[in-house]
Amino acid sequence: MDAIQTPLVYLKGVGPERARLLKTELNLHTFQDLLHFFPNRYIDRSRFYRINELPQTHTEIQIKGRITTLKLIPQKRGKRLVATFSDGSGQMELIWFRGYQWIRDQLKLNEDYVVFGKINWFKGVASIPHPELELEENFQQQLKISFYPIYPSTEKLLNKGVSQKVIQKMMVELLTTRSGHFSESLPQNLINQYKLISKNEALRQIHFPDHQQSLARAQMRLKFEEFFYLQLQLILKNTQRKQKIKGQLFKKVGPSFNAFFNKYLDFELTNAQKKVIKELRKDMGSGRQMNRLLQGDVGSGKTIVALLIMLIALDNNYQSCLVAPTEILAQQHYQSLAEQLQKMNCKVALLTGSTPKKERKRIDEELKSGELSILVGTHAVLEDQVTFKQLGLAIIDEQHRFGVAQRAKLWQKNEIPPHILVMTATPIPRTLAMSLYGDLDFSVIDELPPGRKKIKTLHRTDANRLKVFAFIKDQIAKGNQVYIVYPLIQESSKLDYKDLMDGFESLSRSFPKPNYQISIVHGQMKSEDKAFEMERFIQGKTQLMVATTVIEVGVNIPNATVMVIESAERFGLSQLHQLRGRVGRGSDQGYCILMTGSKLSQEAQIRMETLTKSNDGFEIAEVDLKLRGPGNLMGTQQSGILQLKIADLIKDQNLLKAARSEALKILKEDTHLQAAAHQCVKRTLYSLQFDSNIWNFIS
Ligand code: ADP
Ligand code: MG
């Protein structure tokens, strides 16, 4: 075992109790963990302030001076100890609310002290509550540190006496006793090429930087390293998968595909769709497992791609499943597939949580016998009881709503895993995709079917409501349909429900029967009721659909031209873009109206402006990523997939690109890392295996 893997309990100043706390609170187990536990900020203690030039903020400062008077002042409960502190330029107060008896006995009047702490301002007088205090003569003898690191910490650690000072001491101990002995983890040629500082120097400077520039260089070196190893692992995983994981072999494109393509497909595929189908065919004919992410903006026509490749599976005597995140979407997929395939010899079924028992039994049997070729459904498809005769292809629609663990479940259904295609309309910016899905292959439909008009997006407030209603009436008079969407109803949030119901009532008044019919769909309804209402809207029996975000994904109603989003400020950018994609699917101009309050936070303002300006899913995703951070975007925040220690996917994009290309280069030249120069890489990779949780979501 490398000494760097020594458990923290062996570090001077860390007993069993502290070691346990560090483990449970900060997930720090070994010397290596502690070394790579980086400060989130630094306090500049190279500077001494004068009292007459204190900043008017609540920052931490350091002053030299003397205590001139000491007073115990009674207050509501107990007393407080107040010291007047003077440095010749002015005076201020030092205050203690606890332990003041003992402190008063320790303090010496008219001696030189160095004081450190956070300033408070009250009626123009500065004070520091519970300052750090040191006689200047003692201070002079201490190790001089100019920038003090401040580490992420927890309440519990603080309560148990593991203060910043204690953590700093542990770092000093670790760095001084082992100074210069941390083995280099990057090959020398990269260090030279990118002018990086050594690992030893970087670790010292990241914890106790000499100055701003040395900190910057330490950060750069460690960020590069973090990206480099992240990429190496992803690339290795991908190569391994390609070499090792056998896939079902789809040898041919046969009669089902050809018949459908020639007889029943009633439009010309876009070039992007053709290109993607070619990529998928190649994967599925390779004998290795396909694991591919298909991105395409809303309305780009991913469903037909899914249908066509499921027919290829059928041509090779394999079954397929198409999994959707919501029941409504599953239903719609089922209906449209069943309709399109009705003249073909291809049996399709729908399986959701609300499929009746009897029907379910029939489906189970037909799946086992192989009679059923395509199963459409929700999560229910992934349940353990569902057994296929020979599942060859699993397609997952709108995966950003889909749990990582659920995807993995699909793999366990066969000895040889099915090909997997994940489809998403949430465009993933390239930088994020490289880090998060470096192990997947990518396909993109970057073209919309011809004749689509750009959706016009407008931002309006309550003051414009009457005009908005007039516009809606106008559209309905032209035979079009309208969505009005409210924030999601969650079980706990009564407020959302009230908003929706209030909205529904006021709409019913503005759009009275019999001229207008309104459908309503929300998350708290039974699924039969949802389906019934949805069906009325699809058939044009109702002109308005009042709904929560349950309609967000996938649903396709060409006649709907207007999407009104209420309390739009409460939605995320990508979600708004998705919702907007529900309209303008026919030949008529589509409109999206974002209704908000008149006072918006700056961030909400940016979201509204971005949407009114741009129709490009990728551009919107980039802004979203900047506003919300990657975890949110992918819905994987809790899983910790992207918890980078120091690098930042957005700010450090260039470094990421460089690290990725170097990782690719090394593995290309020396796949098994056998060269002497790459031994440090191999060793570091091994040591990373232990604490890496980025792999849980893969196979
Ligand atoms: P999404 O990618 O958002 O899932 P869909 O697959 O639902 O989009 O397709 C949206 C609409 O576009 C559907 O009505 C579909 O029939 C139609 N469509 C798909 N491809 C084409 C094409 N090449 N030409 C014309 N219409 C198309
Ligand atoms: Mg879709």
Side-chain angles (χ1 to χ4, degrees):
M1 187 169 66
D2 195 331
I4 203 85
Q5 302 287 356
T6 311
L8 278 173
V9 69
Y10 297 109
L11 187 68
K12 202 173 138 199
V14 183
E17 166 72 7
R18 275 187 183 167
R20 201 180 49 75
L21 272 171
L22 291 170
K23 211 178 282 180
T24 53
E25 292 299 295
L26 300 173
N27 197 23
L28 303 176
H29 302 248
T30 62
F31 285 9
Q32 164 150 312
D33 295 343
L34 187 61
L35 277 173
H36 290 87
F37 180 58
F38 300 135
N40 50 14
R41 63 193 181 94
Y42 301 83
I43 291 171
D44 183 357
R45 291 193 67 168
S46 58
R47 158 156 201 199
F48 289 90
Y49 281 87
R50 304 281 292 165
I51 291 178
N52 66 356
E53 50 158 44
L54 288 177
Q56 297 283 325
T57 51
H58 295 269
T59 42
E60 281 119 336
I61 47 137
Q62 185 169 251
I63 318 171
K64 280 182 204 172
R66 294 172 168 214
I67 296 173
T68 53
T69 64
L70 263 178
K71 269 181 297 191
L72 264 180
I73 299 176
Q75 52 182 34
K76 248 190 197 155
R77 244 177 271 143
K79 297 176 186 144
R80 66 176 189 271
L81 175 65
V82 177
T84 310
F85 191 72
S86 160
D87 70 350
S89 82
Q91 55 186 36
M92 62 180 298
E93 291 179 342
L94 309 177
I95 305 176
W96 291 265
F97 301 97
R98 295 180 304 270
Y100 43 75
Q101 302 285 8
W102 184 82
I103 290 165
R104 188 177 54 174
D105 295 343
Q106 305 297 312
L107 293 177
K108 298 190 173 115
L109 291 181
N110 300 313
E111 299 251 358
D112 288 324
Y113 274 105
V114 172
V115 165
F116 175 79
K118 214 179 228 177
I119 6 171
N120 255 342
W121 287 96
F122 185 69
K123 293 192 175 156
V125 179
S127 64
I128 300 182
H130 292 268
E132 279 178 32
L133 209 62
E134 193 113 46
L135 281 170
E136 197 185 350
E137 56 178 270
N138 297 344
F139 181 83
Q140 292 306 341
Q141 285 157 18
Q142 279 174 7
L143 179 70
K144 281 288 155 304
I145 296 173
S146 3
F147 290 91
Y148 275 79
I150 302 292
Y151 298 92
S153 188
T154 68
E155 194 79 13
K156 191 159 173 197
L157 278 172
L158 213 60
N159 289 339
K160 300 267 181 180
V162 186
S163 61
Q164 289 294 334
K165 242 185 173 164
V166 169
I167 303 179
Q168 285 161 8
K169 272 206 179 120
M170 296 187 316
M171 287 302 178
V172 171
E173 174 68 24
L174 192 52
L175 286 165
T176 46
T177 55
R178 301 185 47 96
S179 157
H181 295 293
F182 307 118
S183 35
E184 184 52 58
S185 49
L186 289 174
Q188 196 56 44
N189 68 325
L190 288 186
I191 292 182
N192 298 344
Q193 187 183 338
Y194 291 93
K195 301 196 170 57
L196 301 173
I197 58 174
S198 72
K199 178 85 179 203
N200 273 303
E201 185 62 6
L203 285 175
R204 211 172 58 75
Q205 293 296 333
I206 197 76
H207 292 291
F208 300 102
D210 290 333
H211 39 72
Q212 206 67 49
Q213 292 90 315
S214 61
L215 174 61
R217 299 196 67 192
Q219 286 169 331
M220 153 144 173
R221 142 91 212 203
L222 294 166
K223 284 174 179 181
F224 184 90
E225 177 174 340
E226 185 167 38
F227 280 143
F228 179 74
Y229 280 100
L230 181 69
Q231 289 304 320
L232 265 187
Q233 293 183 71
L234 285 169
I235 297 162
L236 278 171
K237 199 83 193 167
N238 198 11
T239 334
Q240 224 174 20
R241 178 172 60 78
K242 285 193 169 151
Q243 282 173 355
K244 286 218 186 108
I245 303 181
K246 262 180 122 178
Q248 317 280 7
L249 185 60
F250 292 5
K251 284 202 193 100
K252 56 174 187 231
V253 171
S256 305
F257 181 95
N258 288 329
F260 183 85
F261 194 84
N262 296 324
K263 279 194 244 162
Y264 305 118
L265 184 63
D266 51 12
F267 46 72
E268 173 91 7
L269 293 179
T270 62
N271 286 331
Q273 285 168 322
K274 286 183 195 158
K275 175 198 73 186
V276 165
I277 289 170
K278 241 186 227 156
E279 287 166 354
L280 303 179
R281 270 182 55 186
K282 196 168 165 219
D283 280 5
M284 298 185 303
S286 71
R288 286 181 257 105
Q289 190 214 17
M290 171 171 83
N291 207 7
R292 204 173 260 278
L293 183 70
L294 172 57
Q295 301 184 52
D297 213 343
V298 274
S300 60
K302 295 184 290 294
T303 320
I304 193 69
V305 171
L307 185 152
L308 286 167
I309 63 166
M310 289 195 288
L311 290 177
I312 298 182
L314 176 63
D315 280 335
N316 290 275
N317 295 318
Y318 283 101
Q319 293 164 299
S320 309
C321 67
L322 174 59
V323 183
T326 65
E327 192 144 343
I328 288 179
L329 189 55
Q331 250 154 26
Q332 190 163 43
H333 273 323
Y334 168 71
Q335 268 157 17
S336 105
L337 283 182
E339 194 181 309
Q340 294 182 75
L341 295 173
Q342 65 180 332
K343 295 201 186 108
M344 309 247 325
N345 182 22
C346 172
K347 200 158 183 182
V348 188
L350 174 69
L351 180 63
T352 69
S354 58
T355 304
K357 263 214 176 110
K358 226 169 117 191
E359 168 83 355
R360 160 115 208 201
K361 212 172 145 233
R362 191 180 57 80
I363 292 176
D364 278 342
E365 279 160 15
E366 292 184 0
L367 276 179
K368 267 188 218 133
S369 73
E371 195 180 329
L372 205 57
S373 304
I374 295 178
L375 182 65
V376 182
T378 52
H379 308 60
V381 171
L382 302 180
E383 280 169 23
D384 299 333
Q385 302 95 298
V386 183
T387 353
F388 292 82
K389 183 173 180 222
Q390 203 164 27
L391 179 64
L393 171 65
I395 300 176
I396 293 158
D397 196 20
E398 305 298 354
Q399 73 89 43
H400 70 289
R401 289 283 206 88
F402 215 78
V404 154
Q406 290 161 324
R407 234 189 306 152
K409 254 189 157 177
L410 275 169
W411 296 56
Q412 293 149 17
K413 288 203 176 287
N414 292 58
E415 203 173 310
I416 299 184
H419 296 298
I420 294 192
L421 180 67
V422 174
M423 305 198 296
T424 179
T426 308
I428 300 165
R430 187 124 186 93
T431 39
L432 182 57
M434 276 197 303
S435 312
L436 188 56
Y437 290 119
D439 75 308
L440 291 187
D441 296 309
F442 287 86
S443 290
V444 184
I445 303 184
D446 50 7
E447 176 186 6
L448 293 181
R452 291 275 166 79
K453 293 198 178 108
K454 270 208 174 114
I455 297 164
K456 287 196 178 135
T457 302
L458 313 158
H459 176 200
R460 295 287 182 263
T461 62
D462 272 330
N464 314 111
R465 191 166 288 278
L466 285 180
K467 276 194 186 154
V468 171
F469 281 4
F471 176 73
I472 292 176
K473 285 188 176 160
D474 197 41
Q475 286 287 312
I476 292 176
K478 287 185 182 151
N480 293 328
Q481 288 171 292
V482 177
Y483 287 109
I484 298 174
V485 173
Y486 286 81
L488 186 68
I489 294 185
Q490 281 157 349
E491 261 158 57
S492 58
S493 69
K494 294 212 173 81
L495 212 70
D496 281 351
Y497 189 68
K498 192 176 171 304
D499 284 356
L500 178 81
M501 286 310 167
D502 288 354
F504 181 68
E505 259 168 43
S506 102
L507 277 169
S508 307
R509 266 178 265 124
S510 305
F511 296 87
K513 284 178 185 168
N515 286 353
Y516 300 99
Q517 299 290 336
I518 309 179
S519 281
I520 181 164
V521 169
H522 59 76
Q524 287 181 336
M525 281 162 73
K526 284 206 199 107
S527 55
E528 305 101 83
D529 298 342
K530 275 192 234 170
F532 176 77
E533 286 290 307
M534 203 67 211
E535 197 51 41
R536 290 206 311 149
F537 189 62
I538 291 170
Q539 290 176 0
K541 289 184 184 153
T542 58
Q543 299 89 35
L544 290 123
M545 162 63 79
V546 176
T548 51
T549 44
V550 287
I551 57 155
E552 174 182 337
V553 281
V555 180
N556 192 20
I557 295 166
N559 216 27
T561 54
V562 185
M563 167 70 62
V564 179
I565 303 173
E566 297 285 347
S567 306
E569 69 270 30
R570 290 176 54 190
F571 293 83
L573 253 183
S574 290
Q575 213 181 3
L576 289 169
H577 180 62
Q578 286 275 313
L579 278 169
R580 171 167 70 175
R582 298 300 110 216
V583 296
R585 304 198 133 212
S587 50
D588 284 353
Q589 176 65 51
Y591 299 90
C592 174
I593 303 172
L594 306 167
M595 300 294 297
T596 69
S598 49
K599 276 198 192 118
L600 289 181
S601 71
Q602 199 191 355
E603 201 207 291
Q605 192 68 41
I606 295 176
R607 271 183 270 143
M608 300 309 129
E609 279 167 18
T610 308
L611 278 164
T612 47
K613 267 192 266 165
S614 172
N615 258 299
D616 176 346
F618 274 92
E619 195 180 317
I620 288 165
E622 293 274 1
V623 179
D624 202 22
L625 189 59
K626 275 179 198 151
L627 289 178
R628 307 206 299 171
N632 266 319
L633 184 75
M634 303 304 302
T636 51
Q637 202 171 31
Q638 281 95 21
S639 69
I641 284 173
L642 278 170
Q643 276 168 17
L644 296 173
K645 282 202 172 82
I646 184 164
D648 181 318
L649 284 170
I650 312 289
K651 292 190 197 128
D652 306 319
Q653 290 188 25
N654 290 337
L655 220 45
L656 171 59
K657 279 177 204 154
R660 180 174 171 81
S661 85
E662 294 303 336
L664 280 166
K665 206 160 110 196
I666 282 197
L667 289 175
K668 196 172 166 208
E669 285 164 10
D670 182 15
T671 313
H672 300 287
L673 299 173
Q674 282 163 335
H678 296 154
Q679 289 319 294
C680 63
V681 176
K682 202 168 184 174
R683 197 178 49 240
T684 310
L685 263 179
Y686 273 123
S687 82
L688 288 173
Q689 298 282 311
F690 299 107
D691 65 31
S692 112
N693 55 13
I694 34 180
W695 311 120
N696 294 344
F697 75 106
I698 308 166
S699 60

